[in-house]
């Protein structure tokens, strides 16, 4: 567990324990204003809001059309796929599981999507069967869930961090288009992937 997350858990548990002790033992001292403020901050940070409700509306089963560009100027490779999205952790996080193919090989992936009440930004992670690493992304979305993310992962060839730009938009109530851009051979940004999600009834 990340140190910051562990610290948050420890502080939260401590504050809740103090509150419970105060409630059960009338002789126990009341929480200090500082402790009360800390507890309220943690409760606010952990309470699902409007943004989490928007993520929940994306839950369901999807058919995918996956386009991948392996070389600048070359036509894309197109593969079918499926995705399942569902909410976890008390409607705080959307988990996405994808099955498709890539470069002629079976491909599976899993992503997490959330909204951080503390930073006010959306975040995402991505793992798949063609890597042992993880991509971490952060971004913003408008009221219609048109989003722009910046993600970072370690490039297998250079071993260095590589940054990608990702966008997503809903063209209608059941269709989402995801696009991913990254550095080409000359370092300039090129389109690498486009996924069209079609939600099943």
């Amino acid at each position: 567990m990340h140190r910051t997350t562990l610290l948050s858990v420890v502080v939260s548990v401590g504050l809740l324990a103090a509150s419970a002790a105060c409630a059960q033992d009338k002789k126990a001292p009341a929480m200090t204003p500082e402790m009360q403020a800390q507890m309220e901050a943690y409760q606010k940070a952990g309470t699902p809001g409007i943004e989490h409700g928007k993520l929940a509306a994306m839950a369901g089963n999807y058919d995918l059309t996956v386009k991948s560009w392996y070389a600048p100027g070359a036509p894309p490779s197109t593969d079918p796929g499926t995705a399942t999205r569902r909410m976890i952790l008390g409607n705080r996080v959307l988990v996405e599981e994808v099955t498709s193919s890539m470069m002629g090989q079976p491909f599976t992936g899993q992503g997490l999507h959330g909204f951080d009440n503390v930073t006010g930004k959306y975040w995402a992670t991505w793992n798949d069967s063609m890597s042992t690493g993880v991509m971490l992304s952060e971004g913003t979305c408008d009221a219609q869930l048109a989003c722009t993310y910046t993600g970072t992962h370690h490039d297998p060839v250079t071993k260095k961090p590589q940054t990608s730009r990702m966008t997503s938009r809903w063209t209608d109530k059941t269709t989402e288009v995801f696009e991913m851009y990254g550095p080409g051979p000359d370092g300039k940004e090129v389109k690498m992937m486009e996924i069209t999600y079609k939600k099943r009834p």
Side-chain angles (χ1 to χ4, degrees):
M1 183 180 289
H2 192 279
R3 290 182 181 178
T4 303
T5 304
L6 179 59
L7 177 61
S8 297
V9 172
V10 171
V11 173
S12 297
V13 171
L15 289 171
L16 290 173
S19 177
C22 291
Q24 294 178 2
D25 186 354
K26 295 181 180 179
K27 295 180 180 180
M31 293 178 65
T32 66
E34 181 181 7
M35 292 172 62
Q36 184 66 36
Q38 290 177 345
M39 175 174 283
E40 291 175 358
Y42 277 100
Q43 290 176 335
K44 184 177 180 180
T47 302
I50 295 174
E51 293 82 4
H52 303 91
K54 292 179 180 179
L55 291 173
M58 297 165 58
N61 298 312
Y62 294 77
D63 292 308
L64 310 182
T65 300
V66 184
K67 294 182 179 180
S68 304
W69 284 263
Y70 299 117
S77 171
T78 303
D79 297 287
T82 60
T84 299
R85 291 170 168 174
R86 57 189 173 84
M87 295 298 288
I88 60 173
L89 301 177
N91 288 324
R92 289 172 175 82
V93 176
L94 179 74
V95 59
E96 174 178 343
E97 296 175 335
V98 171
T99 300
S100 184
S101 59
M102 188 169 292
M103 295 184 286
Q105 300 294 321
F107 175 87
T108 57
Q110 184 181 78
L112 299 177
H113 306 269
F115 178 82
D116 190 334
N117 289 337
V118 178
T119 64
K121 292 186 177 182
Y122 287 86
W123 58 265
T125 67
W126 180 259
N127 301 88
D128 59 53
S129 57
M130 298 188 73
S131 172
T132 55
V134 60
M135 174 178 277
L136 303 174
S137 305
E138 188 177 68
T140 58
C141 302
D142 65 16
Q144 288 73 43
L145 274 186
C147 307
T148 300
Y149 284 80
T150 298
T152 303
H153 72 284
H154 283 84
D155 182 83
V157 178
T158 66
K159 314 296 184 185
K160 296 179 180 180
Q162 178 175 302
T163 299
S164 300
R165 180 174 65 91
M166 291 155 284
T167 66
S168 65
R169 66 187 189 280
W170 289 82
T171 59
D172 59 47
K173 292 183 178 180
T174 61
T175 307
E176 181 185 13
V177 179
F178 167 88
E179 296 173 302
M180 180 176 179
Y181 302 82
D186 59 359
K188 295 181 179 180
E189 184 182 83
V190 295
K191 188 172 184 177
M192 303 174 67
M193 181 176 291
E194 178 183 298
I195 305 176
T196 300
Y197 291 73
K198 189 67 177 178
K199 193 172 186 180
R200 297 176 185 172

